[in-house]
Amino acid sequence: MKTIFITGTSSGLGSAAVRLFHSKGWKVIATMRNIEKGTIFSDLEHVEVLALDITDPEQIKSTVAKALSLGDIDVVLNNAAYGAIGPLESVSEEQLVKQIETNLLGAIRVTQAFIPTFRIRKQGLFINITSVAGLVTFPFDSLYHAVKWGIHGWSEGMSYELARFGIGMKTVAPGFIRTAFASNAEITSTEPYQELVDKYMSVVAGMMDPTTSGSTAEEVAQIVYEAATDEKDQVHYIAGADCQAMYDRRLEVGPEEFRREMSVTFLG
Ligand SMILES: NC(=O)c1ccc[n+]([C@@H]2O[C@H](COP(=O)([O-])OP(=O)(O)OC[C@H]3O[C@@H](n4cnc5c(N)ncnc54)[C@H](OP(=O)(O)O)[C@@H]3O)[C@@H](O)[C@H]2O)c1
């Protein structure tokens, strides 16, 4: 039986991935920062719920050690993250550090904790959830771009050193996923930007139908499963026609023209 370790499984994509891998006969180590939410998996056999706040380096070490003591782990899915929207001037030091600690350092530290064991076993695969926001840019998402572009480049960079030891590193970049992500996002603003932020938010709201746009968490989990099992020497995967279309457009017109188009689309 193969085993996957997943971060941020209390909702959305993480939760859908737990259920999909479980349904495919995998053992799942479902981690979450609030362990009480683990009851959502009480109907599932072979799902072990462990506490993990990915901003806590000591807990990362102890939870990874506990997970490894339960048996070999084949795949680590770095999924936990949250959105940050707003002009940089409106972001506090605490908010700035929390975004980077969670969305960038969290995945890096979890990965670092697993590498020695994977290296000795000469096998293992890391899959990191990035985003369309790790492939293109929009206004007022700069911090989120910093972490998701960071995960994209870091993953590709890591693939060189890990491949030598039989370890894989992949990313999955979803477009819009119909989860609680938007309502969980930290939105900040301050007066000189307020009008532009309102315009941006209204354009986004007009583009996104929360019931039909983008992908479901289950559809994205399928791409994660494909990345986990296809044995391809491929680092980057795109999940969702919306993400593919945005990425293709940037490649087609080039980054400068794409940036001008985004400025007109979102800010007028
Ligand atoms: N939804 C989208 O449109 C979209 C698009 C592209 C990429 N993504 C990416 O997809 C992934 C999953 O997001 P989602 O859509 O499923 O959103 P979600 O439902 O809000 O799930 C995010 C998960 O991350 C967890 N989390 C947040 N901070 C954490 C921390 N410090 N330690 C441990 N867990 C933490 C949350 O736990 P709590 O329940 O404790 O808050 C939750 O389980 C993220 O990497 C996100 O960036 C989402």
Side-chain angles (χ1 to χ4, degrees):
M1 182 181 268
K2 289 209 163 212
T3 301
I4 185 168
F5 176 102
I6 310 178
T7 65
T9 60
S10 58
S11 64
L13 174 56
S15 167
V18 171
R19 290 191 175 274
L20 178 64
F21 279 82
H22 174 268
S23 75
K24 302 282 188 185
W26 288 52
K27 178 178 160 190
V28 183
I29 300 186
T31 71
M32 57 185 73
R33 59 182 163 176
N34 182 354
I35 197 90
E36 280 91 61
K37 293 184 182 173
T39 52
I40 59 172
F41 302 127
S42 50
D43 58 319
L44 304 181
E45 245 188 285
H46 305 302
V47 173
E48 182 86 34
V49 178
L50 297 182
L52 180 58
D53 180 334
I54 60 164
T55 63
D56 181 342
E58 289 312 311
Q59 196 181 35
I60 289 175
K61 284 184 201 150
S62 60
T63 298
V64 169
K66 171 94 202 301
L68 288 167
S69 75
L70 300 172
D72 288 339
I73 288 171
D74 300 284
V75 177
V76 171
L77 175 60
N78 284 307
N79 164 73
Y82 71 95
I85 300 171
L88 186 60
E89 220 183 310
S90 64
V91 177
S92 70
E93 171 64 16
E94 193 191 343
Q95 289 169 323
L96 177 64
V97 169
K98 191 177 84 173
Q99 173 67 190
I100 292 170
E101 286 257 341
T102 309
N103 292 16
L104 183 60
L105 291 183
I108 292 175
R109 287 179 174 139
V110 168
T111 300
Q112 196 179 36
F114 275 105
I115 287 175
T117 310
F118 279 14
R119 179 177 46 71
I120 290 161
R121 281 184 69 213
K122 292 198 179 353
Q123 66 183 77
L125 174 65
F126 296 100
I127 303 178
N128 305 316
I129 301 301
T130 57
S131 170
V132 63
L135 299 170
V136 307
T137 59
F138 313 108
F140 298 123
D141 272 346
S142 65
L143 258 189
Y144 190 65
H145 289 311
V147 293
K148 290 299 188 181
W149 281 62
I151 291 284
H152 181 92
W154 168 72
S155 302
E156 196 174 299
M158 285 299 297
S159 70
Y160 299 101
E161 70 192 55
L162 295 180
R164 303 282 143 184
F165 298 98
I167 304 166
M169 173 70 89
K170 299 188 174 191
T171 71
V172 172
F176 176 65
I177 320 174
R178 302 200 287 273
T179 64
F181 181 80
S183 53
N184 291 336
E186 202 159 76
I187 302 170
T188 57
S189 190
T190 186
E191 191 38 54
Y193 302 91
Q194 193 60 57
E195 209 176 307
L196 279 175
V197 172
D198 289 345
K199 171 126 191 58
Y200 170 71
M201 298 298 279
S202 73
V203 174
V204 171
M207 287 167 97
M208 302 288 179
D209 180 331
T211 56
T212 58
S213 297
S215 308
T216 62
E218 290 72 23
E219 287 165 344
V220 177
Q222 282 288 350
I223 306 294
V224 173
Y225 186 76
E226 183 188 316
T229 55
D230 67 8
E231 294 185 8
K232 284 189 188 160
D233 177 20
Q234 174 179 335
V235 174
H236 301 300
Y237 293 69
I238 285 179
D242 55 342
C243 182
Q244 189 70 60
M246 280 272 183
Y247 186 52
D248 288 349
R249 180 69 187 159
R250 185 178 153 103
L251 292 179
E252 184 191 342
V253 300
E256 299 302 340
E257 180 55 26
F258 184 84
R259 179 180 55 76
R260 282 187 279 273
E261 287 182 5
M262 291 299 104
S263 182
V264 170
T265 302
F266 289 106
L267 304 178

